[in-house]
Each structure stands twice: as C-alpha cells, then as structure tokens.
Amino acid sequence: MLVKPRDRYDQCDIPALEHACMTFAAGKGLNVARTALYAEQPSTLLVERFDRMPPADMSVRIPMLSALTLLDAEWHTTDRSAWVYASVANEMSRRGVPAQDLQELFKRMCFNALVGNDDDHPKNHAILWLKGGWRLAPMYDVVPCLEGSSPPNLAMAVGREGRVISRANLLSHCAHFALTPGKAAATLDEVIGWEPDLRAHYERTLNGTELKLGLAAIGSARMKA
C-alpha cells in the first residue's frame, strides 16, 4: 500500500478529494487503483500498489514505465511541448499496448477534464509489463483543481490546440487512440453525461471546503463548448 496522509500545510482535505475522484471513476468502469480513506485526523488515503506482485509472490516488482519515460521528455523544464496525450498513445501502440487501453487513455483524458484534474502530467500515467506484454496501468493521482474554478487547460496537450479543454480539441486527435470520430464523440458525450452523478457522489462523500472545491472544478461546460 501507498499511504498518503494530509499534509499539515494543506488548505483542504486532499486525501478525501482524491478518494472521491478515484471511487467515482471506479464506479464508472475505469481501471483505477484501489483506494481506501482513513477519515480520522489527519485523514489518510491508502492506495493499493499495482507495481508489485502479491505478498505470496514475495512482492516482486512489476516492470513499469511512466509516460514521461515513454515520451523521452524532461521533467525539470519549462518546455512541455512533448507532453501530449496523443504522443503517449503513439508510444503505447508502438510497444504493442492493445487498442482497448488506448481507448481507456482517451476516456481518462476526458475524465480529467470533467473533474478538473489539471495535475495529469506524464508522471501520473504509466504502462506495466503484464503476462508478456505492456498494458496501461490503473489510473492514479487524480485530484480536482484547488483554485475554486474549473481549469481551462490540462497539464498535457489534449489535441491540436494544445492543452485547452474544448470539445473540438478533445476530439481532434481521436485516431491516435484507436477511435473513429463517431466513437470518440460518443465517449466524450458519455463522460460529460456523468456530471449529475459526479455532483451527487461528491455530495455524499465530501462536505465543507472539499465539496465546494470539487463542485467548482467540474469542467463539463468547457467540454461542451
């Protein structure tokens, strides 16, 4: 397990926000790292590691490559031109990752836009070596923007217009994700349609500042424009 306690300097309960996002995504069928929330003070998020074999197999490490490595990109730089979802999909495809995983990556990109997760940088995506082939790792580290509004951009470029969240931009690179324009549009509309359920989920699982931030970060309006 990874243990992620609330930092003493956090202005809100980030573990609770992350748990809310992750459990909602899991409920919608996305492949998500399993989480549990220890809600006492300080609240702590528990994340089941997916890069280790079970203890019965001596917790052997499973080979894993981050999207940053796949892109051969720099981390400590202001030049983030290589941070592109379609390029990640291309590198995954080049390594034999199946089409269904490319389509899942597209859906995650749309989900990040929906919840306002603008921390979706290349370290927060990865592939794993499983049963003789590379597969997309479960989703992890998903937290809404904490600025009190929906972010206009994601951390990585989502289409031909760069990082900006808009319907046309989200759909513009669909072929890289093994999707036809029609299928990509249907997937995007499906994720946009999750908004009422997301609001209800937040209202059940969050309160106070965390609820206000989660609701404010929802980006469905930008995804429709």
Side-chain angles (χ1 to χ4, degrees):
M1 303 291 287
L2 290 177
V3 179
K4 302 173 70 173
R6 178 175 179 174
D7 189 273
R8 70 175 70 182
Y9 300 111
D10 287 345
Q11 298 300 307
C12 65
D13 193 343
I14 294 178
L17 277 165
E18 183 172 349
H19 181 62
C21 283
M22 298 283 279
T23 51
F24 181 79
K28 290 300 183 182
L30 292 172
N31 181 19
V32 178
R34 293 177 58 190
T35 63
L37 184 67
Y38 177 76
E40 301 300 326
Q41 295 297 324
S43 63
T44 301
L45 183 70
L46 306 177
V47 185
E48 185 177 64
R49 296 195 67 148
F50 49 75
D51 62 339
R52 296 287 191 277
M53 297 294 287
D57 295 319
M58 302 181 66
S59 300
V60 173
R61 190 182 188 97
I62 298 171
M64 174 174 162
L65 294 174
S66 72
L68 191 72
T69 299
L70 289 177
L71 296 171
D72 194 22
E74 297 294 329
W75 178 247
H76 298 291
T77 179
T78 57
D79 179 11
R80 298 180 176 179
S81 58
W83 294 15
V84 181
Y85 272 101
S87 297
V88 176
N90 290 345
E91 291 302 320
M92 287 169 53
S93 181
R94 197 163 67 86
R95 288 164 176 80
V97 174
Q100 68 192 72
D101 287 8
L102 307 182
Q103 294 163 2
E104 165 98 3
L105 180 63
F106 178 82
K107 202 167 193 177
R108 291 184 193 181
M109 179 178 74
C110 296
F111 180 78
N112 284 328
L114 176 68
V115 299
N117 172 33
D118 59 353
D119 193 39
D120 58 320
H121 55 72
K123 283 189 176 182
N124 282 341
H125 302 274
I127 58 174
L128 298 172
W129 183 258
L130 299 171
K131 298 180 180 180
W134 290 106
R135 299 299 304 267
L136 181 63
M139 188 165 67
Y140 56 97
D141 281 2
V142 179
V143 181
C145 174
L146 304 178
E147 299 298 321
S149 61
S150 66
N153 305 306
L154 293 184
M156 297 203 298
V158 302
R160 294 171 186 166
E161 298 176 12
R163 300 186 298 120
V164 64
I165 298 171
S166 72
R167 181 178 184 85
N169 201 31
L170 287 164
L171 294 175
S172 63
H173 280 166
C174 64
H176 297 265
F177 302 92
L179 290 167
T180 64
K183 178 62 175 176
T187 300
L188 176 59
D189 288 335
E190 177 189 355
V191 176
I192 291 172
W194 293 348
E195 179 190 355
D197 293 343
L198 178 62
R199 290 181 178 275
H201 180 76
Y202 281 164
E203 289 169 358
R204 288 192 302 270
T205 57
L206 301 171
N207 53 63
T209 299
E210 293 71 38
L211 176 58
K212 291 179 182 177
L213 289 173
L215 293 174
I218 293 175
S220 52
R222 298 184 186 277
M223 299 166 72
K224 297 174 185 176

